Amino acid sequence: MATKGPMQDPIVDPMIDPRTGEYAVIAPGHNFRSITQKIAGIVLTSNTPLGWFFGLMVGGGVAMGVVVGCTWLFLKGVGIWGVTIPGAWGFAIINFVWWIGIGHAGTLISAILLLFKQTWRNSINRFAEAMTIFAVVCAGTFPLIHVGRPWLAYWLFPYPNTMNVWPQFRSPLAWDVFAVSTYASISIIFWYIGMIPDFGTLRDRATMPAAKYFYGMLSLGWRGSTRHWIRYESASLLLAGLSTPLVLSVHTVISFDFAVAALAGWHTTIFPPYFVAGAVYSGFAMVLTLAIPIRKFYHMEDLVTLRHLDNMAKVMLATGSIVAYGYGMEVFMAWFSASHWEFFMMWNRMFGPMGWAYWILILTNIAIPLTTLWSRKLRVNVTFLFILSLIVNTGMWFERFVIVVTSLYREYLPSSWGTYRATKWDYMIYVGTMGLFTFLFFLFVRFLPMIPMSEIRMMLPQTKVTRGGPDAETVSKETV
């Protein structure tokens, strides 16, 4: 910010637009060449940082938890987990919903913000989309192994068969299959289409034959012609239009896993918007968790600026407020419904044997974020935002834990009451998916352009048309 010392002129921060007082989306001083060199250099360099190898090895080592845990699961069965009756849903469903929610921010940034022409999204949309795909990969692991016979999981698809055995389409599990598979397919296509111009740039700049061949194949013959750009823009808008309903529909369908059940704590109509808001909330928290270390490690502070962090914090504030409203409505309806079962469920959720989980959820999802994100000074504090993003994602995991476990382990008949305790195998597979996510993300930032070069170049002042009169137009040109 601008400061003034005694007998001195004001010191103007070049990262702040003097007209609006907002932080710049791109630091001044960049041109087409510098943008291309900065982003392409990370991918095409022959000197890979040692920190990247360390992160990749840590992620790969932790990901072995999935391999070991699933191997033992297939040998011994789901009895190695903590699931019991009545708590037949445990970590598998909790983690599935949590991972799917994390991926929502990528779709919102890449699709909805594109349709609303929010250009600040350009610096973060690529790795947010990658985060979506990797989160869906981690999420898809859990329903597959939760069914008990993963080798028969293909029965959930309506494939042509002679046995006339079809999925039970009244089951939310079948709805999840179609919602998540559609979500994953559109996300991958959207992600890949957006990278085609950058693949063409990498192909032209690569010096190693293998890299030229690899990126040449991925670029699909991209030449940057007018015809190519028209088709690229049309495809991007079409895919954005297809992706936008998915932001709402996917987590709505997942909320039906609970809402269609006649169980206190689940059977409520507020779940669809409540789940969608929570998904975007946790998704933007994960984008901050990834963006802040990346901008520091790769010196991207001039491309992923405080403007991006501030805007993402504002989205978290808005969606977090919706989530807080959902929590309030749950408590209100438990009282207003005059249902003994609903009232006991909420009392047990707050003050029962697992009440500690509910209050951790309130602290991490509402008390800390919604009392601090109103401050612009904190919204642009990088260290605070990184810590807060970890706190929010911890809280969103506890939200899923509270929804799943505290509604199941004490249901209608006291004689059926039980408890839930996760085993080491539950924790091993869950932590292993975190390692898998980290491993895939490290591969992405090394071999694919994490920031879209073509879209960042379009935001430079050199691309703006300057009108000098009713019949005069000049466009500043510069060699890429």
Side-chain angles (χ1 to χ4, degrees):
M1 296 294 292
T3 60
K4 191 172 183 179
M7 305 298 291
Q8 292 180 352
D9 294 330
I11 301 173
V12 179
D13 188 343
M15 290 299 295
I16 297 179
D17 188 337
R19 297 170 301 171
T20 63
E22 294 284 348
Y23 287 95
V25 177
I26 302 177
H30 273 297
N31 55 38
F32 298 149
R33 185 182 295 276
S34 66
I35 292 291
T36 304
Q37 288 176 341
K38 190 175 186 70
I39 300 173
I42 297 172
V43 179
L44 299 177
T45 183
S46 57
N47 299 317
T48 305
L50 291 177
W52 181 85
F53 286 108
F54 176 76
L56 188 72
M57 287 190 295
V58 170
V62 175
M64 290 303 295
V66 176
V67 178
V68 175
C70 289
T71 301
W72 192 245
L73 175 71
F74 296 158
L75 290 173
K76 305 299 277 187
V78 294
I80 67 170
W81 286 346
V83 291
T84 57
I85 300 299
W89 281 11
F91 264 38
I93 302 301
I94 295 167
N95 298 333
F96 165 67
V97 179
W98 186 73
W99 276 117
I100 287 291
I102 281 176
H104 262 54
T107 310
L108 187 143
I109 291 170
S110 59
I112 295 180
L113 296 185
L114 172 64
L115 295 178
F116 281 99
K117 298 182 179 180
Q118 297 294 307
T119 55
W120 64 270
R121 62 176 274 285
N122 292 346
S123 295
I124 60 173
N125 69 330
R126 180 69 53 75
F127 61 77
E129 292 167 6
M131 179 195 77
T132 295
I133 295 166
F134 303 150
V136 170
V137 170
C138 295
T141 305
F142 290 102
L144 186 65
I145 60 179
H146 185 69
V147 296
R149 294 182 175 87
W151 50 90
L152 299 179
Y154 68 94
W155 283 9
L156 290 168
F157 293 93
Y159 69 100
N161 67 89
T162 57
M163 298 182 293
N164 289 326
V165 178
W166 302 103
Q168 171 55 275
F169 286 108
R170 289 178 293 178
S171 168
L173 180 60
W175 306 346
D176 287 347
V177 170
F178 290 100
V180 174
S181 59
T182 304
Y183 182 51
S185 302
I186 296 296
S187 297
I188 291 171
I189 294 171
F190 200 5
W191 184 53
Y192 175 68
I193 292 293
M195 288 191 289
I196 288 177
D198 289 351
F199 285 145
T201 301
L202 294 175
R203 172 202 62 202
D204 297 337
R205 295 180 66 88
T207 55
M208 297 178 61
K212 275 187 172 293
Y213 181 79
F214 176 70
Y215 295 115
M217 290 287 290
L218 293 176
S219 67
L220 302 180
W222 175 269
R223 298 189 308 276
S225 65
T226 303
R227 178 179 295 179
H228 284 184
W229 276 112
I230 291 173
R231 290 175 177 172
Y232 169 80
E233 296 288 348
S234 300
S236 297
L237 288 174
L238 178 62
L239 289 169
L242 290 172
S243 300
T244 298
L246 292 176
V247 176
L248 304 175
S249 66
V250 173
H251 231 60
T252 296
V253 170
I254 288 173
S255 75
F256 289 161
D257 291 355
F258 309 98
V260 299
L263 187 68
W266 286 6
H267 195 61
T268 172
T269 55
I270 201 173
F271 263 23
Y274 165 39
F275 267 56
V276 171
V280 176
Y281 189 36
S282 62
F284 270 88
M286 183 59 81
V287 174
L288 283 172
T289 304
L290 299 174
I292 290 172
I294 282 176
R295 71 194 290 272
K296 182 69 175 177
F297 185 77
Y298 286 106
H299 307 291
M300 290 286 183
E301 292 91 346
D302 51 347
L303 298 181
V304 182
T305 68
L306 294 179
R307 173 76 171 277
H308 299 94
L309 305 186
D310 186 24
N311 286 350
M312 287 190 283
K314 289 176 182 177
V315 175
M316 286 179 61
L317 178 61
T319 52
S321 300
I322 298 173
V323 171
Y325 174 78
Y327 296 160
M329 281 295 100
E330 282 189 311
V331 177
F332 173 75
M333 291 308 298
W335 167 78
F336 188 71
S337 65
S339 167
H340 169 75
W341 315 110
E342 288 285 346
F343 183 84
F344 173 77
M345 178 280 304
M346 188 53 64
W347 182 92
N348 180 62
R349 183 174 284 183
M350 291 180 174
F351 306 110
M354 293 191 179
W356 55 271
Y358 181 82
W359 295 112
I360 289 177
L361 146 71
I362 296 298
L363 177 68
T364 53
N365 272 358
I366 299 178
I368 296 176
L370 299 190
T371 56
T372 56
L373 287 177
W374 290 100
S375 169
R376 190 191 188 197
K377 195 173 288 187
L378 292 176
R379 288 201 307 269
V380 296
N381 186 313
V382 178
T383 304
F384 170 78
L385 280 181
F386 181 71
I387 296 172
L388 184 69
S389 68
L390 298 176
I391 290 173
V392 168
N393 268 321
T394 301
M396 292 307 298
W397 187 90
F398 271 100
E399 178 197 288
R400 277 62 182 233
F401 178 86
V402 166
I403 289 173
V404 172
V405 173
T406 62
S407 296
L408 284 175
Y409 81 112
R410 286 190 171 182
E411 49 179 29
Y412 295 105
L413 294 176
S415 60
S416 300
W417 287 2
T419 188
Y420 176 78
R421 289 187 180 89
T423 66
K424 64 180 180 181
W425 301 106
D426 288 297
Y427 288 108
M428 181 181 291
I429 296 175
Y430 172 48
V431 174
T433 57
M434 292 184 179
L436 175 62
F437 180 87
T438 305
F439 181 80
L440 294 173
F441 199 81
F442 269 90
L443 290 176
F444 160 71
V445 299
R446 176 61 183 87
F447 296 108
L448 298 176
M450 71 175 96
I451 295 177
M453 293 178 277
S454 58
E455 295 183 27
I456 296 296
R457 289 197 294 256
M458 292 177 186
M459 296 168 58
L460 293 174
Q462 293 91 320
T463 62
K464 309 303 179 187
V465 175
T466 304
R467 301 185 184 276
D471 301 318
E473 285 189 351
T474 58
V475 181
S476 176
K477 296 181 180 180
E478 189 172 351
T479 305
V480 177

